[in-house]
Amino acid sequence: MMLWCYLMVVFTDPGAVPENWRHAAEEDDMDESNTRTISNDVATDIVNPPLFTSEGQGNASRYCSRCQNGKPPRCHHCSICDRCVLKMDHHCVWVVNCVGARNYKYFLLFLVYTFLETVLDTLVLLPSFITFFRDESRRSSSASDVAILFLAFGMHTSLVASNTTSIEPWFAS
């Protein structure tokens, strides 16, 4: 089930905004006024796009300058996918896809199944860990083994802190 949910998150479209989408309030206004035509409205919106509004302003129309299209409520533009996504939660690098309206359920199920699998693995391996660390007292570890462990840990900590890899210090000019 975990693998199935992962594949569904990866391959399910998160939800795209239909081309030339308009807010229902805009469509009602166009139906009531006979002085303007749809083609004039589209041309006006391209030349003078509606102002951006915040999420909390209710039914105010929004416009995406990148997609050149209207934006429904709770829709956001993903800079990685370069498109607007309905009910976008986030772009997940682990599934290489946006999490949106159409794949959110699969994403949550994937997280639940992953958590359950991790708990199951921990419970299965727990007796082996207990046995291993109980026998640790019978093994001798020299001071040099402990020193090497701390030096390796310290080196990798400094590499992470300086945002470099273990290869870069050798080839730095």
Side-chain angles (χ1 to χ4, degrees), residues 52-69:
F52 290 98
T53 58
S54 65
E55 295 288 330
Q57 290 183 338
N59 292 336
S61 63
R62 299 183 320 150
Y63 183 80
C64 179
S65 60
R66 289 188 172 185
C67 294
Q68 301 294 316
N69 198 10

Side-chain angles (χ1 to χ4, degrees), residues 105-150:
K105 175 181 99 171
Y106 302 120
F107 180 74
L108 285 180
L109 285 173
F110 171 66
L111 292 180
V112 168
Y113 290 136
T114 302
F115 173 75
L116 292 175
E117 179 67 26
T118 303
V119 169
L120 179 68
D121 290 344
T122 302
L123 292 175
V124 167
L125 292 174
L126 190 60
S128 298
F129 279 122
I130 291 172
T131 304
F132 176 78
F133 287 111
R134 188 176 298 148
D135 293 341
E136 178 68 26
S137 60
R138 289 185 228 146
R139 285 187 220 104
S140 64
S141 52
S142 65
S144 63
D145 290 342
V146 174
I148 290 172
L149 178 68
F150 279 107

Side-chain angles (χ1 to χ4, degrees), residues 149-165:
L149 178 68
F150 279 107
L151 283 174
F153 178 77
M155 182 191 82
H156 285 284
T157 302
S158 68
L159 289 173
V160 168
S162 63
N163 195 23
T164 58
T165 64

Side-chain angles (χ1 to χ4, degrees), residues 24-44:
E26 290 179 30
E27 291 176 2
D28 292 342
D29 290 342
M30 287 191 336
D31 291 342
E32 293 174 4
S33 66
N34 294 329
T35 58
R36 292 169 38 182
T37 64
I38 293 175
S39 61
N40 286 340
D41 285 343
V42 171
T44 303

Side-chain angles (χ1 to χ4, degrees), residues 56-98:
Q57 290 183 338
N59 292 336
S61 63
R62 299 183 320 150
Y63 183 80
C64 179
S65 60
R66 289 188 172 185
C67 294
Q68 301 294 316
N69 198 10
K71 285 173 68 172
R74 299 178 67 192
C75 174
H76 299 282
H77 187 88
C78 177
S79 59
I80 298 168
C81 296
D82 199 30
R83 67 183 188 141
C84 284
V85 177
L86 295 172
K87 286 179 64 178
M88 181 176 173
D89 188 66
H90 68 286
H91 183 91
C92 184
V93 296
W94 303 108
V95 298
V96 194
N97 198 1
C98 285

